[in-house]
């Protein structure tokens, strides 16, 4: 929030204590650019993804997730629903 842009190689990983749809929901208030958002569950599987539009009130994943990965919108094709992921140096 409150940033003017996001570089293609930057992002944010949000981590919750448990898998949940509600706890991993996001808003885009005070975000002036679109984001590629990926929701990942405790099994490290991508369970949903969306291009989150700036200033939208809420995005909720279709399935429970523990991790929310927010990246530059150009990274949309990097992950598909069902992909297994691994975090290194996070």
């Amino acid at each position: 929030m409150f940033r003017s842009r996001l570089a293609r190689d930057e992002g944010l990983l949000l981590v919750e204590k448990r898998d949940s749809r509600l706890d991993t929901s996001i808003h885009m208030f005070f975000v002036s650019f679109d984001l590629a958002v990926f929701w990942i569950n405790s099994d490290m599987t991508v369970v949903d993804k969306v291009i989150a539009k700036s200033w939208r009130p809420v995005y909720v994943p279709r399935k429970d997730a523990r991790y929310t990965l927010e990246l530059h919108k150009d990274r949309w094709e990097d992950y598909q629903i069902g992909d297994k992921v691994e975090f290194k140096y996070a």
Side-chain angles (χ1 to χ4, degrees):
M1 292 188 310
F2 304 108
R3 294 180 65 160
S4 61
R5 66 177 191 84
L6 181 70
R8 191 176 193 292
D9 63 345
E10 292 181 321
L12 177 66
L13 178 65
L14 304 168
V15 182
E16 296 298 328
K17 293 180 180 172
R18 61 185 176 91
D19 286 8
S20 169
R21 288 183 67 224
L22 183 61
D23 293 346
T24 55
S25 63
I26 64 166
H27 68 81
M28 294 291 288
F29 292 128
F30 306 104
V31 180
S32 60
F33 46 87
D34 298 348
L35 292 171
V37 179
F38 305 90
W39 285 278
I40 303 159
N41 66 15
S42 292
D43 293 331
M44 304 308 289
T45 302
V46 177
V47 295
D48 201 4
K49 69 184 226 179
V50 69
I51 294 290
K53 302 292 186 177
S54 64
W55 289 96
R56 296 290 167 94
V58 68
Y59 288 93
V60 180
R62 291 183 211 147
K63 295 186 177 181
D64 290 344
R66 182 171 180 201
Y67 306 96
T68 306
L69 180 60
E70 300 178 352
L71 300 174
H72 190 280
K73 69 178 180 170
D74 290 348
R75 307 279 307 270
W76 170 252
E77 292 296 329
D78 286 5
Y79 303 100
Q80 303 304 319
I81 295 172
D83 285 355
K84 288 289 214 177
V85 298
E86 178 181 352
F87 300 132
K88 294 183 179 182
Y89 316 111

